[in-house]
Amino acid sequence: MQKERKDTPYMGTKESLPLWLHISCSILEFLPLSQMDLLKSMLVLILVAFIGCFNGESKLLDECSSDSDCEAGLYCFSCSQGFSGSRCVRSAITDQFKLLNNSLPFNKYAYLTTHNSYAIDGEPSHTGVPRNAFTNQEDTVTQQLNNGVRALMLDTYDFKDDVWLCHSSGGKCFNITAFEPAIDTMKEIEAFLSTNPSEIVTLILEDYVQAANGLTKVFNESGLLEYWFPVSNMPQNGEDWPLVHDMVSNNHRLIVFTSIESKQDTEGIAYQWNYMVENQYGDDGMKAGTCFNRAESSTLSDASKYLVLVNYFRTIPDKSRTCVDNSADLINMLHTCYGAAGNRWANFVAVNYYKRSEGGGAFQATDMLNGRLLCGCDDVHACTPGSTSGACTPP
């Protein structure tokens, strides 16, 4: 007589299994327990081991079929130029403040930055006219911030008697190039700062707003002035910035830079080129072995500006190639720019489609920068807490 069948432990769904394991599961349900116990136990062990990889336990670069297969901080992604099939790659930054400390000056850390953070795939038209403009990111600004992005590059324009985020040219915004009113994105940033009281966000504005106090109005109406880091507190002549924990204690958690010099005096918005050097953007900034300043910036080795921003993105966004761009090539460029900047590591690293990579991507690049800045190691995870001497342990 066949014994009563007991349910076999199962993790995941059969739909995610290859055909041979699917068939094995079906056979297993009808095998008698008498002489087949050993075989069933072996099959169960195989199933558990295999299905475990498809139940939120797959590690970096393991094969996957959906995001739920991957460990926390990873997602399932296909990079045809980098690897076959779909694999788990990084989707979140390491919080260097929680991992090590927040007791150093702001300029002693590195921050993942998204280029044209507002130019998002699938953003609906807010003008009633279909948009005809490139996109540079796939996540909403809120998702970017939740995944560890800490600096946003935004293009601000006068449009429809308001300030809009626009991907345009010639300093003019049009219905077909407009993304959304700036107030919408600013409210997302305010919501993030409100619910994350220990976080600091930097805004880097390519600014075409000519309306008097136009930006100030947007910052005021969005509630962001509550977190404003005052220009009067910004260091001059290459001095260190305030300590991060002091910035948090004082609620000075929003740093804003504009590309219009006069607004530092008229609206209290810091003129970017007084405080930061930046390499050439676009294709000219992606030539291996070379790193030079963009026209508006002083030379990268100008030590009177303590913040260093490295751009690494194509002039015309190319999703299919971005996963390769954001990987080893990006880290190589950061090393090149380190030398060009007078042996200074970047504080900001700006990319398109920030989650696309061959594995660690822009997240790993930021971890490398923080490791170098904080302890001289190749990865922030290798830093010994409290050490600044290069006492590295395997990450």
Side-chain angles (χ1 to χ4, degrees), residues 115-116 134-136 167 314-319 322 352-353:
H115 171 236
N116 287 345
F134 295 123
T135 60
N136 302 85
H167 200 346
R314 296 178 185 273
T315 302
I316 298 177
D318 185 340
K319 280 187 182 179
T322 300
N352 285 336
Y353 305 117

Side-chain angles (χ1 to χ4, degrees), residues 114-258:
T114 46
H115 171 236
N116 287 345
S117 315
Y118 62 92
I120 300 164
D121 285 359
E123 177 68 29
S125 171
H126 294 263
T127 65
V129 176
R131 186 184 305 107
N132 184 18
F134 295 123
T135 60
N136 302 85
Q137 304 299 334
E138 295 167 290
D139 286 347
T140 66
V141 166
T142 296
Q143 290 169 332
Q144 293 173 40
L145 293 170
N146 286 339
N147 287 333
V149 171
R150 287 298 175 266
L152 307 171
M153 302 176 84
L154 308 174
D155 295 359
T156 53
Y157 287 78
D158 292 311
F159 187 62
K160 293 183 178 291
D161 297 320
D162 203 348
V163 176
W164 279 59
L165 302 179
C166 193
H167 200 346
S168 197
S169 62
K172 300 292 183 182
C173 184
F174 305 95
N175 284 328
I176 62 171
T177 60
F179 274 84
E180 66 177 9
I183 187 72
D184 295 349
T185 293
M186 300 306 175
K187 285 183 177 179
E188 286 188 73
I189 298 166
E190 193 284 328
F192 175 81
L193 289 171
S194 176
T195 56
N196 295 274
S198 63
E199 298 297 339
I200 298 171
V201 173
T202 300
L203 304 184
I204 302 169
L205 307 182
E206 185 175 319
D207 191 359
Y208 299 97
V209 176
Q210 299 299 322
N213 295 310
L215 281 177
T216 299
K217 180 175 180 289
V218 172
F219 286 122
N220 183 47
E221 291 180 351
S222 64
L224 284 175
L225 290 183
E226 177 182 347
Y227 311 98
W228 198 264
F229 187 97
V231 171
S232 59
N233 287 16
M234 292 187 180
Q236 304 293 325
N237 300 317
E239 298 169 353
D240 279 334
W241 281 64
L243 307 183
V244 166
H245 66 62
D246 289 344
M247 294 170 65
V248 170
S249 297
N250 294 325
N251 207 30
H252 291 164
R253 299 189 291 115
L254 180 72
I255 301 171
V256 184
F257 296 106
T258 175

Side-chain angles (χ1 to χ4, degrees), residues 64-120:
C64 57
S65 59
S66 68
D67 291 352
S68 61
D69 298 337
C70 303
E71 287 183 332
L74 307 177
Y75 80 113
C76 193
F77 176 67
S78 176
C79 174
S80 59
Q81 294 186 344
F83 51 75
S84 61
S86 296
R87 298 179 182 273
C88 295
V89 303
R90 290 271 300 266
S91 64
I93 202 69
T94 301
D95 189 331
Q96 68 271 25
F97 302 135
K98 293 179 180 177
L99 181 66
L100 295 176
N101 63 68
N102 68 350
S103 59
L104 299 177
F106 177 78
N107 55 283
K108 298 297 185 182
Y109 302 92
Y111 311 94
L112 179 57
T113 305
T114 46
H115 171 236
N116 287 345
S117 315
Y118 62 92
I120 300 164

